[in-house]
Structures are given as C-alpha cells and as structure tokens.
Amino acid sequence: MDKVTVLFTPDNVAVQVEPGTSLLQAAGLAGISLVSSCGGDGTCGRCLVKVEDGHVRVAETGNLSKKAKQSGLVLACQSFVESNVVIGIPSMSRLTEHQVLLDENQLMEEDIGTDEGFFFRPLCRVVELTLSPPTLAENVADWERLQTALRNVIDCSDIRISLPVLRRLPELLRTDDWRVTVIVAQMNDCAEVVDIAAGHVQKELNLYGLAIDIGTTTVAINLIDLKSGLPVGQKGSYNRQASFGDDVISRIIHASEASGGLPELQSAVISTINDLVAELLQLSNIDAHDVRMVTVAGNTTMTHLFLGLSPKYIRLEPYIPLAASTPAVRASELGLNINPAAYVVCFPSVASYVGGDIVAGTLVTNLAQEERIILLIDIGTNGEMVLGNKDWLVTAACSAGPAFEGGGITFGMRAMKGAIDKIKVDPATFDVQVSTVGRCKAQGICGSGLINCLATLRAVGIIDRTGKLQTDLSTPRLRQGDDGWEFVLVYGNDTAHGRDIVITEHDIKNLMRAKAAVYAGIRSMLQAVQLTEDMIDCVLIAGGFGNCLNIRDAITIGLLPDLPTEKYRFIGNSSLKGARLALISQQAWQEAQLLGSKMTYLELSAGNEFMDEFMSALFLPHTDMTRFPSVTNLK
Amino acid sequence: MAFSAMKEKYSSQVHTVVLGATKEEGGTRDYTITVGGEGALPFLHFEGEVPHRPVVALEVWDVVPEWHESLAPYFGDVYNDPAAWAKKCVMEYNADLVVLRLKGADPDVADASPEDCAKVVKDVLAAVGCPLIVLGCGNPEKDSKVLPAVAEATSGEKLLIGVADQENYKSITAACIVHNHNIIAGSPIDINICKQLNILITEMNLPADRIVIDPTTAALGYGLEYGYSIMERARIGALQGDKMLAMPIICNVGHEVWRSKEANASSEDYPAWGDQANRSILWEATTAAALLQAGANILIMRHPKALALVKQNIEELMVPTSFDD
C-alpha cells in the first residue's frame, strides 16, 4: 500500500507513514512527543489530538467525554491513519519544555571533593610524563617503558592500551624527546591509556566528562571540565521514554512485550541524552571528541534500559534485576555522540527498586560517614528511601505511583509552565486563588501543588479526613462531574486550555494512596530496625519536588513524619550530584561500588507489615493521630 | 508450690456508654443500661475489672418480617404490632433491651416516611421501659433522613441509633448531638475504618462515651474469625490506651445467623444436620458465645431461646475467677 501523509499543526511538520500507523507513532516520527502516561494503552486519555482534515480510524475512545468527542478530539494512540490527514496538537497534549531539577543554586560551585572528604582525582585525567630514553643496555619496549613511567604517577598495576593508540606510540614518544602527555582512564584497579600527545601539552589538551542522571521522568546532564573538576554547563529535559508510559512498570512491559520495545526504549533515552549533550557542547564550544568519560546514575530499570539490558524480571516476583553492577562500556557501543572510545560507567543498583540513583544520593550526602541517623527519601514515582549512619544502612522502595508527578490525576502534570503549585481557599466563600509555575495561566496541577491542595482542602473542610469531598457545603465549585464529585480549582476562562481545572474525589484518593505508601515505607523501615521517628536526626529530601515541596503541607497530610521542620533538608537532585562526584573522584567511585553492596535491602512486599501500615495511613494525616501531634494540635 | 498467675497489666479501659435516660435524666425509661468499662480482655476478671456484663437485645421490626417459619410461634402474633412485639421481648423473653429495626423505611419495602418511622419508635418507647436501640433500613440515603427525624422525635431518650457509616455519619452524628442520643459507628470488618470513623464522629464533638462500634461480624462458618480478630485487635488497642478504639462493641448476631444455610435448611433436606429448630438456636447461641469472647458488649439476637442460652452463658462468665487467694 502507498504511504500516506500526516501533517501536524501548528508545527507544520509532515511525515509519510504506512496506513494503519497510529497517530502517536506518527507524531513520534515527526519528532513531536505527546503526553502518553499509559504508554499507548488508550487508558490515560492524555494524548488528545484533533483531526482537522481527513479521516482516521478510531479504535477506542477510552474515557473521552462526549464534549471532547464532539469537538473532534481523538486519542492519538488509538487512532490510525488511513489516508492523508491534518492533525492539530493541543498544547496540553504536548510534552514541552521541562522544568528539570538541576539545582542551579545548590549544585554549581559547591566544592564537592573536599567537603565530602573525597580527593579530586577524576576517573579520566591528563598526565605529563617524561620517560628515560632507551639505550642498548636498557632496551625495554616503548609500551612497557610508558607503563613503568605511568606506574610512578598512578596507583595501579594493571595498565592497558587500545590497539589504535598503541600504533601511534613510537613516533609520539620520540617527537619531543620522550616527553608525552597521556590521557588515562582509571576505574577501580584498572587503568587505560586512552590517548597520547607528544610533548608536555596538558594546558592545550581538553578533557571533559559527563555526569548523567537518568530519571524515569527526566534526564539531567552536567558537563564537567575534568582538568579542574568544575562544571561547564548543565541541561535537562524530559526522558523521551515517557512516550512509552509514565512509570517503570509500563516501560518494563513495553520493553519485554512489545516487539522491538527494548531497542526502542534504549534509543529513546540515548537520543534524549545525545540532544542534550549536543546543546551543551555547542553552547560551550567544546569538541565532542574531548568528552571521554561518563558516569550515569539511574534507577535499576533506567540503567537496564540505558544499556539495552532486559528489565523483564524486575517486574516479576521475586523481582530480580539482570545485573546489580554493570561493566564499563564504550560510548560507541551505546551510540552516544561523544568520543567513541569514551568509557561509560553506571552506578551499581542495590535491588530491583533501589537503583544507582539512590546509591549516588547516598554517596553524595555522605550518609555512610555520619554519626547521626539520617533518612534519605527520594519521592518520585517510586519512593526510595535509605536510613542509617556510618554503622548500618537499610534501604527500601515503596511504589507510590505517579500521582506526585501528576500521573493518574485528572489535571495532574509535571512541574512545567502553567502548573498550579499553590492554592489558597477562602474558608467562608470557598473561592480559590492559585499560583502557577512561570506565573502564567493554569494548565494543571503539579506534585507539590497537589500536596498543598490536599492540605488546604482539608484545612478549610472541603474534604474530611478520609479525603471525601464534603458535598453538603454550599459552593458551586463542588459539583458532580464525569468522574463523580469534583471541586473546581480554576474556571475555564482563567485556564490555558479553556477547560475548568478540577480535582476529583478519585484524584484525592489516588494522592492519599501515594502519600500513604511513602509514609508506610518509612514506618516499615523504622520498625525493621526498631527505631522510632524521633530518633531520626535529619531527613534529606531528594528528587523531583526539590525546594517546591512545603514540608508543613507534607506533614499535614501525613506524607512525612511529624518531625520539627528544621530536621528536614532539601538536597535536590542528589543522583546527579553523586554522578558528578564520582566522575571527579576515583575514591568516591570506589566508595559507590562498596555502598551498593553495603546497603541492606528490605523487600516491603514480603510480610504484612507494610500493608498494615499502608492501610492505617489512608487517612489525613493518619489513623493513629498521636503520630502527628503538631497536626492534631492545630485543630 | 503456690501457683501464681501471669497477669497482663493494661494502661487503659473500654469507654462506658449509658443507654437510655430516666425521667430525671430527661427521658422516659424506667432504667438505664451501662455497657463497657472493661479493664481486661473479656471475662479475665483476675487481670482487670469487668464492671458491666454484656447485654442481649431482641429484634423488633416495623414491618412484618419475612423470617423463617420456626420463629413464627414466638413472634407471629405480634409481627403486626411493633409495640406489642417489643413488650413481648422484654416481658416474656427477658431481653435486656429492644432493637427496633426500621425496615419499613426502605424504598424497596414500604418506603415509610421519616414521620411514620418516628411514630413507630415513640409507640415502642411507650410500650416498654427498657432502653431502645433503633436501626435504620440500611439504605444510606433514606437512613440519613429517617434517623435524624427519629432522633428529634425522641429527644433526650439516649437511644442507641445506627448504623452510621463513612457515607452518612454526619447527619446522624449531628442529630445525636443535638437530641442527646448515642450512635452506632459501623465499619466493614476493617480496624482502620473503624478507628477513622470514631475520629470523624468525635471531631464533630460527639463525646467518645456516646459511641458504640459495630465492627461487622459474620455467622459461625461464614467468616466469624475475621470479625473476631478485628474485635480482638480493637479490644487490645483500647486496653493499651487507644481512645479511638475504646468504644463498646455491638454485634448484630441474629441478622447474620439467620442468613446462614445452617439456620434455615429443613431437617428433611438435611437429615444428618439434625432438627432445624434446635440447630438454628444453637447456631445463633454459638456465634454469640464466640463474639462474647472476642469482646462484644451488646448482642442483637433473634431467637428467644438463643437469647436465653446466651444470657445463661454471660451469667456464668461474669462469676469472677481469681488466683489471688
């Protein structure tokens, strides 16, 4: 059959596709990423597009409202091209400019390396050497001669070299009277001479590395000058894998069940990284060839997908990853557009749901050197946590679901422009004022906004402690919607898309489950080590929320333990920081390897403890109100 | 060698709830009944006080019930007259108190108006001097209209009104506060919801000592053990100081047992099961006996003979055992 043309507006991008291709796939081919939380199952109702001209075959309309159908909206994943069509993409369906947590304030010029007690010694560095020239009596071969000289400088006996470099060795050694500058990559107990230049030219040589945090939702990259250890630039964007589902589970399903799913996911994340790197390099005018070392921190599934390893058994009981620690690979093997011989190393994972990102976070927060008892929580789709100090470390993961990242919430969205991050409700009239990210017209609600929303609605009595909307209140904002009772946060005339932004009772229940899972995880972990909440000296909050999260709100809804707010600290994207630290310190990288095996993993799905805790946490703030004295006293 | 019993020490006890109000107290009852107050697990007199014995109630309906024919000889003559029925329960069958179930309010039964329901309640109150428990029809929407009307019409009587659940607790609680009644807080065999509902109700400012919890039970052979373990957890929680689990417990025994096959199947169909009449009585009494051990304070019974057996059981269990002499 002949190919047909799909023209996307307002981008005005046309692609030729086989008839029968879904609009979601077509958009992907056109380089347009649509929101698709369910990964193309037709269930999330996010990939709405408008058929402006022509006709498509609609297999499913899912939960689309009548109004939406009448206005010509279809689900891109469930609509298939049969002839030439023109498709309009509403802004709400588009994955756009993403607010990725990069920690501009916190990360940039911090003196990592000294603060944490790790020496500055990058995984890849430049070394100037002066070799003693050979004589008739001292007739060691060139390569062995170089090795001997190197051993005096680096603390490693196993030194290797690649064939192409070896071939160039003899002339380079002799060009400037046995003075050379070598670039050495060194990890663990093995070093490799990756490049050689004649003469002492350290100053002229450029050497860069990348620290990458691959999150389920976002990818963030630091470009680091490995000679100084200082960041040159940073960039982040959404993980292009998002088009295949919001959470790790839907990605794993796609990777293991769809044909070609695994390479598709791998290339999605590689292309995300490549685009970011290209931008970074262009901005700072750096040659891709000079980027020779990459450290990657990601959750277990992300690490698997990045390396093209099958994550299939992570999802199936008893939840076994393919590898906890993975070998160093070459950039060319992954298709990264940097020096093809550059080494790429990934942080080791602890278990299926506690990955390298958590190891990196533990590394950079120096948890394993602390006297005090520290709780590190990364509240993302998967709430991972680490508890302990220098003597012991336990870790667990609780599946909080994507609610805090906007998934499964009617108007949930990530913290992009137009996301409501705070609301104010008049207790008498129930009128609502909202503030949004970027101070523009509201488009949806982001995680911290949802938490604030829950706390605020409870405070003014719009919901009770079970999360039920109090339908007997007299306000037109409370009404029966398509999905049961809902509360209008912003009326359509003040929103970016013209639709009323509501929070439904169903959304509230989803959020309650998410917050209950996180709190239950913390409790289960504390109980496993027989500690009480007040014995925690410090709680470090990492991950997507960043500084947006209001601790008071989080305690009010029972997401976080009722500790003095001074005990809480935001550490931002600790995964990226850890990756950067390891990139510039061999000692830190070695410590990371150890940490991975030092942490005791608690499987929360074994036993009833977690479930009991979870059930009693499904209340605002908690069924056991004595655990939240500061909240109860407020009343 | 002298035997010394290991004793569990508890820091707290079950709340007491007073059912009914006499003339001096603003009602019309001849006497009141106090339930709860235990400072130990059921009947472990040597570990703590069990100040008030569990009480048994008999069911009265406002419409002719479609009950098993074996109950007709006991109540058939009064099925049409709730007041006379209630009187019979107390005078003839020695029920401690009466449960009036307003089944007729159910839109699918007689759709009786709230006013009509209130009138039946007043008739029953006039007929007997014991405290009264009033149960709605089970339709949450209708109950939230009927029960407040009943509460208003009987203001000050300290009825025990229910069942309030997470959906309709607000209107029933408000009515109980204003008109000085007690409330039954019902939860579906779920300790968390049980506790949450108590929190919600007390936060509306109904004191904890005016709440009785219905944790939902099942008949013997139909999941009794689930209800049992929930009740046990609630009791242990109460004794350890959890005020929001410390309410006396009511169990709707007759209703559950008489839904079971074992209570209803005829002797002809199941000769090996023995005589239906005896079997049903024993099934009801055995279920009740188990629930007493789990911590029940009020048992709603259906068959007078089962009630008699349970009363006897309670008398025996209330004789203190002591290891102190």
Side-chain angles (χ1 to χ4, degrees):
Chain A
M1 242 202 279
D2 288 339
K3 287 199 171 186
V4 293
T5 306
V6 185
L7 175 67
F8 289 99
T9 63
D11 309 58
N12 269 324
V13 183
V15 280
Q16 302 268 315
V17 297
E18 298 282 341
T21 308
S22 78
L23 291 178
L24 183 66
Q25 286 168 309
L29 291 172
I32 299 167
S33 294
L34 296 178
V35 188
S36 169
S37 303
C38 65
D41 276 345
T43 54
C44 73
R46 294 301 183 85
C47 57
L48 290 178
V49 294
K50 192 168 179 180
V51 183
E52 290 181 341
D53 195 26
H55 193 75
V56 295
R57 182 172 58 80
V58 177
E60 275 291 337
T61 49
N63 55 6
L64 272 193
S65 70
K66 219 175 182 176
K67 217 165 117 197
K69 274 184 245 174
Q70 276 168 356
S71 60
L73 289 173
V74 295
L75 297 177
C77 64
Q78 299 298 324
S79 306
F80 302 91
V81 185
E82 289 184 324
S83 53
N84 294 348
V85 280
V86 179
I87 302 296
I89 302 177
S91 64
M92 63 189 176
S93 305
R94 206 182 277 268
L95 270 172
T96 48
E97 186 194 337
H98 201 292
Q99 244 209 355
V100 181
L101 191 67
L102 287 166
D103 297 298
E104 279 77 3
N105 312 323
Q106 295 182 41
L107 191 74
M108 276 310 275
E109 296 304 327
E110 251 175 53
D111 43 345
I112 287 181
T114 48
D115 207 27
E116 275 80 8
F118 294 110
F119 297 115
F120 174 72
R121 184 173 266 200
L123 295 186
C124 190
R125 59 200 174 109
V126 188
V127 180
E128 289 180 344
L129 295 172
T130 307
L131 280 55
S132 54
T135 62
L136 280 173
E138 204 267 274
N139 51 10
V140 174
D142 285 352
W143 166 228
E144 280 69 22
R145 185 171 303 277
L146 182 68
Q147 279 180 298
T148 310
L150 253 180
R151 273 194 202 100
N152 293 331
V153 186
I154 64 170
D155 175 28
C156 183
S157 55
D158 184 3
I159 303 175
R160 301 167 190 190
I161 191 164
S162 66
L163 191 57
V165 182
L166 190 61
R167 284 186 180 131
R168 287 161 47 218
L169 185 64
E171 298 311 324
L172 289 170
L173 285 178
R174 290 167 180 85
T175 303
D176 193 7
D177 193 20
W178 300 94
R179 292 191 307 164
V180 286
T181 305
V182 296
I183 296 177
V184 197
Q186 188 184 356
M187 287 162 291
N188 308 330
D189 296 326
C190 174
E192 183 181 314
V193 175
V194 294
D195 211 348
I196 302 181
H200 283 179
V201 290
Q202 181 165 13
K203 277 207 182 103
E204 291 92 274
L205 271 183
N206 290 320
L207 181 59
Y208 297 95
L210 298 170
I212 307 181
D213 161 48
I214 306 178
T216 312
T217 312
T218 58
V219 174
I221 300 186
N222 255 213
L223 175 63
I224 310 286
D225 182 340
L226 291 181
K227 292 201 303 189
S228 64
L230 293 176
V232 180
Q234 49 193 350
K235 278 243 169 263
S237 89
Y238 64 91
N239 185 339
R240 242 166 247 166
Q241 290 177 346
S243 300
F244 304 97
D246 261 353
D247 50 61
V248 290
I249 299 298
S250 41
R251 308 268 174 90
I252 295 174
I253 293 174
H254 186 80
S256 37
E257 286 170 14
S259 83
L262 181 57
E264 206 166 19
L265 285 166
Q266 187 188 17
S267 69
V269 67
I270 297 289
S271 75
T272 307
I273 295 171
N274 276 338
D275 285 2
L276 288 172
V277 171
E279 282 178 58
L280 270 172
L281 294 177
Q282 200 190 358
L283 271 177
S284 26
N285 204 12
I286 290 168
D287 186 350
H289 193 79
D290 291 332
V291 181
R292 295 180 186 264
M293 179 54 81
V294 181
T295 52
V296 175
N299 65 46
T300 312
T301 303
M302 287 305 116
T303 306
H304 276 59
L305 294 176
F306 173 69
L307 295 173
L309 304 172
S310 166
K312 185 174 174 188
Y313 297 99
I314 290 178
R315 188 171 70 93
L316 307 171
E317 205 183 308
Y319 321 114
I320 304 302
L322 191 156
S325 57
T326 52
V329 295
R330 303 272 187 190
S332 58
E333 295 176 79
L334 297 173
L336 289 178
N337 295 336
I338 52 174
N339 189 315
Y343 274 113
V344 181
V345 291
C346 297
F347 273 74
S349 304
V350 179
S352 280
Y353 295 105
V354 175
D357 48 348
I358 298 302
V359 174
T362 310
L363 174 75
V364 80
T365 53
N366 228 359
L367 229 159
Q369 267 73 45
E370 280 279 354
E371 291 281 346
R372 304 176 303 161
I373 295 175
I374 310 276
L375 173 65
L376 166 67
I377 321 177
D378 189 335
I379 309 174
T381 310
N382 223 8
E384 294 113 333
M385 39 198 94
V386 183
L387 176 71
N389 61 11
K390 65 180 173 49
D391 299 316
W392 53 275
L393 289 170
V394 290
T395 175
C398 58
S399 178
F404 292 136
E405 286 165 344
I409 305 289
T410 314
F411 280 90
M413 63 186 287
R414 292 157 189 166
M416 299 186 245
K417 260 189 194 155
I420 298 172
D421 58 5
K422 204 169 182 167
I423 69 164
K424 230 183 191 167
V425 181
D426 185 312
T429 62
F430 301 115
D431 271 347
V432 186
Q433 281 177 292
V434 301
S435 82
T436 60
V437 176
R439 303 201 175 280
C440 46
K441 277 195 168 185
Q443 186 149 332
I445 325 168
C446 66
S448 47
L450 286 164
I451 290 171
N452 174 261
C453 200
L454 213 55
T456 309
L457 293 181
R458 171 69 206 121
V460 296
I462 292 170
I463 55 174
D464 71 5
R465 290 196 186 279
T466 63
K468 242 177 89 67
L469 286 168
Q470 300 300 289
T471 51
D472 50 352
L473 297 177
S474 82
T475 161
R477 286 178 182 267
L478 270 168
R479 65 186 190 195
Q480 200 105 38
D482 293 342
D483 197 21
W485 282 94
E486 61 190 29
F487 181 76
V488 183
L489 293 171
V490 189
Y491 283 112
N493 44 3
D494 285 324
T495 64
H497 39 61
R499 295 183 297 157
D500 294 352
I501 293 179
V502 300
I503 183 158
T504 68
E505 203 161 271
H506 188 73
D507 295 339
I508 295 171
K509 296 278 149 113
N510 266 344
L511 280 168
M512 301 244 327
R513 279 191 282 272
K515 76 100 187 167
V518 172
Y519 184 75
I522 298 173
R523 290 288 305 186
S524 305
M525 209 157 68
L526 283 169
Q527 266 166 40
V529 292
Q530 304 260 303
L531 289 184
T532 53
E533 287 171 9
D534 55 359
M535 292 165 94
I536 302 172
D537 294 304
C538 180
V539 184
L540 305 176
I541 311 269
F545 278 125
N547 300 342
C548 317
L549 178 67
N550 181 310
I551 291 292
R552 216 37 256 175
D553 286 342
I555 293 174
T556 304
I557 68 162
L559 165 67
L560 296 172
D562 194 358
L563 299 169
T565 46
E566 310 87 75
K567 281 197 178 185
Y568 285 93
R569 244 185 75 205
F570 291 106
I571 54 167
N573 190 339
S574 59
S575 169
L576 182 60
K577 285 183 184 180
R580 191 184 123 198
L581 177 59
L583 185 64
I584 60 170
S585 170
Q586 290 182 19
Q587 195 192 358
W589 176 246
Q590 271 167 19
E591 174 71 16
Q593 312 301 301
L594 289 176
L595 271 180
S597 51
K598 238 189 211 173
M599 291 154 86
T600 308
Y601 176 65
L602 295 176
E603 176 57 62
L604 294 181
S605 65
N608 297 330
E609 180 86 53
F610 177 75
M611 210 51 203
D612 281 349
E613 283 289 346
F614 175 72
M615 294 308 289
S616 53
L618 286 174
F619 202 54
L620 295 172
H622 195 277
T623 305
D624 185 355
M625 308 262 276
T626 57
R627 291 187 194 168
F628 289 86
S630 80
V631 180
T632 322
N633 292 345
L634 276 179
K635 248 194 80 87
Chain B
M1 209 167 81
F3 168 71
S4 92
M6 287 277 288
K7 288 182 192 173
E8 209 62 65
K9 279 268 169 278
Y10 295 109
S11 58
S12 193
Q13 60 278 316
V14 177
H15 297 306
T16 54
V17 174
V18 179
L19 307 178
T22 60
K23 209 166 247 163
E24 298 77 57
E25 294 159 340
T28 62
R29 303 298 82 206
D30 294 344
Y31 56 91
T32 62
I33 288 177
T34 305
V35 291
E38 305 94 288
L41 287 175
F43 312 110
L44 300 186
H45 302 274
F46 64 97
E47 284 194 338
E49 224 190 328
V50 186
H52 305 289
R53 70 171 183 87
V55 294
V56 282
L58 277 177
E59 265 180 88
V60 172
W61 284 31
D62 64 338
V63 286
V64 177
E66 287 170 2
W67 286 357
H68 192 272
E69 60 194 22
S70 64
L71 286 154
Y74 300 92
F75 301 116
D77 54 335
V78 289
Y79 273 164
N80 270 315
D81 184 348
W85 185 351
K87 208 165 186 172
K88 197 170 188 184
C89 290
V90 180
M91 307 304 282
E92 209 167 308
Y93 301 131
N94 290 320
D96 294 319
L97 69 174
V98 171
V99 176
L100 175 60
R101 188 168 170 82
L102 298 171
K103 193 68 187 170
D106 192 325
D108 296 333
V109 180
D111 203 12
S113 69
E115 294 73 34
D116 290 345
C117 293
K119 188 179 172 303
V120 180
V121 178
K122 293 203 83 159
D123 290 347
V124 171
L125 280 171
V128 293
C130 67
L132 186 66
I133 302 171
V134 177
L135 299 182
C137 62
N139 176 315
E141 211 174 307
K142 188 69 185 282
D143 281 351
S144 61
K145 292 196 184 83
V146 167
L147 295 175
V150 168
E152 187 178 352
T154 60
S155 192
E157 289 283 9
K158 284 205 114 178
L159 304 181
L160 178 56
I161 295 179
V163 175
D165 62 18
Q166 280 184 301
E167 298 303 313
N168 65 6
Y169 74 93
K170 278 188 134 180
S171 57
I172 303 175
T173 305
C176 286
I177 294 171
V178 177
H179 300 294
N180 199 19
H181 296 296
N182 302 301
I183 197 168
I184 302 174
S187 47
I189 318 195
D190 184 317
I191 193 85
N192 287 303
I193 293 178
C194 171
K195 188 170 167 181
Q196 290 170 6
L197 190 53
N198 290 335
I199 295 172
L200 293 171
I201 291 175
T202 49
E203 284 197 341
M204 284 182 69
N205 287 327
L206 184 72
D209 65 2
R210 278 168 57 191
I211 303 173
V212 171
I213 52 186
D214 176 359
T216 306
T217 52
L220 175 64
Y222 291 81
L224 173 72
E225 57 278 22
Y226 291 102
Y228 190 108
S229 68
I230 292 293
M231 288 166 70
E232 199 174 42
R233 272 178 76 178
R235 270 298 154 267
I236 292 170
L239 296 175
Q240 289 175 346
D242 192 335
K243 299 283 175 217
M244 285 299 122
L245 280 176
M247 290 72 179
I249 296 173
I250 188 168
C251 296
N252 205 342
V253 183
H255 170 73
E256 290 298 332
V257 169
W258 286 92
R259 294 199 301 175
S260 72
K261 189 177 178 183
E262 286 77 0
N264 291 294
S266 71
S267 319
E268 289 76 46
D269 290 346
Y270 291 88
W273 286 10
D275 175 50
Q276 180 272 335
N278 276 331
R279 186 195 329 128
S280 57
I281 293 166
L282 289 173
W283 211 267
E284 190 177 349
T286 312
T287 302
L291 295 172
L292 281 174
Q293 296 296 339
N297 298 86
I298 305 170
L299 296 166
I300 303 176
M301 308 294 291
R302 188 166 287 180
H303 200 296
K305 288 197 165 172
L307 175 119
L309 284 171
V310 174
K311 261 195 122 166
Q312 190 193 333
N313 185 221
I314 293 172
E315 297 306 327
E316 289 162 7
L317 288 167
M318 283 304 289
V319 177
T321 41
S322 167
F323 297 104
D324 286 338
D325 27 61

